[in-house]
């Protein structure tokens, strides 16, 4: 039976490689839709959790994982030889940057090597990890074709960028449109058939390169606009204008404006990283991505700026950072998530540590942290006392903001969480 028919009859066996923030929700969505799904991960702890019917990702309900596992539609394994039993495989492994800001393709390559060992006629392989344009055609296709199969005939290959937005209450895997680009028209058709089973809207594009570039445009758009608004915030502070009031008024324009907000810097596994995949690739064609570099520079300097503002705030009370007790609210990179990858709060902690601050933090989603020499455990919000300055680094809904200006001598609010509060001891970006 052709894969398209197997997919429409829910008889295709689907493999998801990499069961993290992207892979686990996708695997559960396919299993909920009636497919037989196997998750593959090198992390035995995650595999054991899934097989025990538990979720370790906040956006994925344990009840959903348990129901799929009990129904026999979802299982996880570290045994890559089981890839040979799959009809379709989604690659959702990390794509970080090296210290030199070059793409680290080692996870994608190692997942593809495992697939290549077990590739069989009629198999569909889709790369979902964010990467530079050309990865699917230049890296994956030759690895699979080296096994003697021709793309579009012997096997199908596509790229489909993942758009998951952790903690977004409105948009999830199912109702976020999915862009799909195949290597050949046949590849696009089969890949679209796979996703239309688990996703409401599939957006076909003409090639894997276009699909790869779509994701990088989306994330570069965010990085550049956040960079712009951060620079406007710095400018407004110099000119004694409230940037938050400016944005609130500007966004009443019903066309031609989209609000972005200043903050302590970029975080997460996407926005601070993905644009550099693009600039790295563009450089190979002799093209310099000036917006990306500039936005990276402005956004990357925000933690330093926040520390400078904390220093000014303490100075207004005749205090120095050195020896002051400074407490951070929120360590995760954004509200209501536990992910602290690239979180600017970690940079702020490091900078304050180097200047001699006595540090502590509260984050209901991050029980403990070790960042260089800084090793701390989260303090319960009600137990925080004797602090010289409180810093709102991430605006989790769980925090009781109304109390903060009364409880602490100074509050550095990097997220406008205390919006509208007229207290004199609040310092905003
Ligand atoms: N997190 C997001 O919000 C988000 C959004 C859109 C796109 N993305 C992209 O999706 C990809 C995955 O990101 P993530 O946040 O899910 O990462 P993650 O770190 O949460 O998960 C990746 C998983 O892959 C596993 N893994 C690593 N190498 C493996 C291998 N060779 N074989 C099998 N498993 C392996 C890891 O153990 C981990 O469980 C990245 O390219 C990222 O840029 C992430």
């Amino acid at each position: 039976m052709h894969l398209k028919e197997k997919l429409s009859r829910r008889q295709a066996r689907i493999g998801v490689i990499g069961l993290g923030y992207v892979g686990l929700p996708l695997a559960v969505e396919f299993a909920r839709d009636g497919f037989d799904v196997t998750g593959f991960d090198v992390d035995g702890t995650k595999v054991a959790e899934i097989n025990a019917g538990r979720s370790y990702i906040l956006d994925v309900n344990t009840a959903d994982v348990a129901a799929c596992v009990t129904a026999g539609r979802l299982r996880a394994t570290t045994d890559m030889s089981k890839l040979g039993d799959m009809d379709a495989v989604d690659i959702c492994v990390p794509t970080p940057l090296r210290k030199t800001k070059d793409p680290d393709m080692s996870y994608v390559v190692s997942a593809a090597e495992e697939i290549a060992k077990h590739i069989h006629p009629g198999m569909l392989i889709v790369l979902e990890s964010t990467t530079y344009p050309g990865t699917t055609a230049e890296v994956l296709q030759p690895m699979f074709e080296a096994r003697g199969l021709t793309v579009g005939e012997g096997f199908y290959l596509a790229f489909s960028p993942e758009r998951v937005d952790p903690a977004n209450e409105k948009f999830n895997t199912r109702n976020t449109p999915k862009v799909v680009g195949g290597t050949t028209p046949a590849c696009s058709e089969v890949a679209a058939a796979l996703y239309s089973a688990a996703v409401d809207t599939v957006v076909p594009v003409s090639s894997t390169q276009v699909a790869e570039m779509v994701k990088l445009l989306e994330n570069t758009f965010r990085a550049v606009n956040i960079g712009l608004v951060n620079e406007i915030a710095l400018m407004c502070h110099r000119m004694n204008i409230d940037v938050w009031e400016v944005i609130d008024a500007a966004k009443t324009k019903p066309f031609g404006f989209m609000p972005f907000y200043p903050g302590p810097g970029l975080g997460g596994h996407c926005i601070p990283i993905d644009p550099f995949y693009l600039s790295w690739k563009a450089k190979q064609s002799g093209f310099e991505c000036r917006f990306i570099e500039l936005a990276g520079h402005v956004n990357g300097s925000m933690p330093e700026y926040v520390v400078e503002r904390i220093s000014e705030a303490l100075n207004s009370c005749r205090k120095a950072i050195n020896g002051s007790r400074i407490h951070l609210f929120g360590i995760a990179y954004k509200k209501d998530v536990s992910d602290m990858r690239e979180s600017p709060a970690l940079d702020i902690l490091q900078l304050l540590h180097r200047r001699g601050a006595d540090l502590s933090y509260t984050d209901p989603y991050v029980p403990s942290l070790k960042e260089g020499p800084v090793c701390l455990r989260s303090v319960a919000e009600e137990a925080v006392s004797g602090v010289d300055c409180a810093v709102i680094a991430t605006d989790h809904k769980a925090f009781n903001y109304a109390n903060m200006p009364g409880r602490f001598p100074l509050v550095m609010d990097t997220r406008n969480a205390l919006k509208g509060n007229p207290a004199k001891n609040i310092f905003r970006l």
Side-chain angles (χ1 to χ4, degrees):
M1 194 190 304
H2 191 274
L3 181 53
K4 264 175 69 182
E5 199 174 340
K6 276 191 180 175
L7 287 164
S8 76
R9 291 188 188 184
R10 303 293 184 269
Q11 285 174 4
R13 289 155 304 173
I14 298 178
V16 176
I17 308 184
L19 298 169
Y21 291 94
V22 166
L24 184 60
L26 191 68
V28 169
E29 207 51 55
F30 279 127
R32 273 157 54 101
D33 210 61
F35 284 103
D36 183 278
V37 181
T38 306
F40 296 83
D41 206 293
V42 287
D43 183 340
T45 316
K46 285 183 178 163
V47 164
E49 284 294 288
I50 292 168
N51 289 334
R54 286 190 293 265
S55 169
Y56 42 84
I57 301 275
L58 284 173
D59 281 348
V60 178
N61 291 328
T62 276
D64 289 339
V65 175
C68 293
V69 170
T70 308
R73 287 200 302 271
L74 176 66
R75 71 205 61 79
T77 182
T78 54
D79 178 2
M80 301 294 161
S81 71
K82 297 264 188 318
L83 283 167
D85 300 336
M86 302 298 118
D87 297 300
V89 178
D90 261 305
I91 307 175
C92 305
V93 296
T95 43
L97 284 174
R98 297 189 190 281
K99 283 210 172 80
T100 49
K101 289 213 173 334
D102 289 354
D104 177 356
M105 297 306 292
S106 59
Y107 302 90
V108 170
V109 169
S110 113
E113 277 168 355
E114 291 299 335
I115 297 172
K117 280 186 211 161
H118 305 285
I119 195 166
H120 55 76
M123 195 178 201
L124 165 68
I125 300 140
V126 186
L127 178 61
E128 295 224 9
S129 302
T130 308
T131 183
Y132 57 84
T135 306
T136 311
E138 294 160 18
V139 181
L140 299 194
Q141 189 180 331
M143 289 173 77
F144 301 143
E145 289 198 319
R147 310 297 294 189
L149 295 170
T150 305
V151 71
E153 295 167 19
F155 74 103
Y156 306 102
L157 181 61
F159 182 85
S160 179
E162 179 51 57
R163 286 170 157 169
V164 70
D165 181 21
N168 190 321
E169 287 168 359
K170 193 167 168 204
F171 291 105
N172 50 42
T173 302
R174 178 160 282 282
N175 65 5
T176 304
K178 193 106 174 81
V179 171
V180 178
T183 305
T184 68
C187 296
S188 297
E189 243 183 73
V190 179
L194 168 71
Y195 289 111
S196 40
V199 173
D200 292 344
T201 312
V202 172
V203 184
V205 293
S206 64
S207 66
T208 54
Q209 288 87 343
V210 168
E212 288 159 341
M213 190 69 187
V214 166
K215 175 72 184 175
L216 295 179
L217 169 62
E218 290 168 7
N219 283 2
T220 301
F221 171 82
R222 286 192 63 74
V224 167
N225 279 289
I226 294 169
L228 171 66
V229 84
N230 275 334
E231 190 171 79
I232 297 280
L234 266 55
M235 196 188 297
C236 282
H237 179 63
R238 281 285 175 88
M239 298 194 294
N240 207 15
I241 297 168
D242 181 346
V243 69
W244 303 96
E245 191 183 349
V246 171
I247 298 167
D248 276 350
K251 77 181 188 197
T252 60
K253 185 179 180 186
F255 48 86
F257 183 81
M258 180 184 281
F260 283 83
Y261 298 95
L266 297 181
H269 190 35
C270 294
I271 315 291
I273 293 172
D274 304 347
F276 291 99
Y277 268 70
L278 182 54
S279 60
W280 176 85
K281 185 66 177 171
K283 264 186 210 141
Q284 295 179 349
S285 309
F287 191 90
E288 194 193 339
C289 299
R290 287 168 294 171
F291 274 110
I292 292 176
E293 300 298 330
L294 182 59
H297 178 73
V298 174
N299 293 327
S301 66
M302 289 310 286
E304 286 270 6
Y305 175 70
V306 169
V307 170
E308 198 183 300
R309 295 288 310 280
I310 293 170
S311 169
E312 270 175 28
L314 285 165
N315 193 49
S316 70
C317 305
R318 297 166 171 253
K319 286 182 180 162
I321 288 179
N322 197 342
S324 285
R325 279 210 54 200
I326 303 180
H327 186 86
L328 262 68
F329 283 94
I331 291 295
Y333 83 92
K334 71 169 189 173
K335 63 173 82 171
D336 310 325
V337 303
S338 59
D339 191 349
M340 52 175 186
R341 290 176 295 181
E342 313 288 327
S343 175
L346 297 173
D347 294 329
I348 294 171
L349 271 181
Q350 291 277 9
L351 291 166
L352 291 171
H353 173 78
R354 271 187 237 143
R355 286 163 178 71
D358 181 2
L359 295 164
S360 53
Y361 83 95
T362 301
D363 191 318
Y365 302 103
V366 182
S368 63
L369 67 86
K370 167 130 187 53
E371 187 66 14
V374 183
C375 194
L376 297 169
R377 294 194 76 77
S378 176
V379 180
E381 187 177 351
E382 52 288 359
V384 182
S385 69
V387 161
D388 296 302
C389 179
V391 180
I392 300 171
T394 310
D395 50 344
H396 291 315
K397 276 196 228 108
F399 293 139
N400 185 354
Y401 295 112
N403 282 343
M404 289 187 189
R407 280 179 73 193
F408 306 113
L410 298 170
V411 183
M412 177 72 218
D413 180 7
T414 72
R415 303 280 186 172
N416 203 25
L418 304 178
K419 187 175 180 175
N421 191 320
K424 292 270 184 296
N425 61 339
I426 302 172
F427 291 75
R428 293 186 172 85
L429 278 189

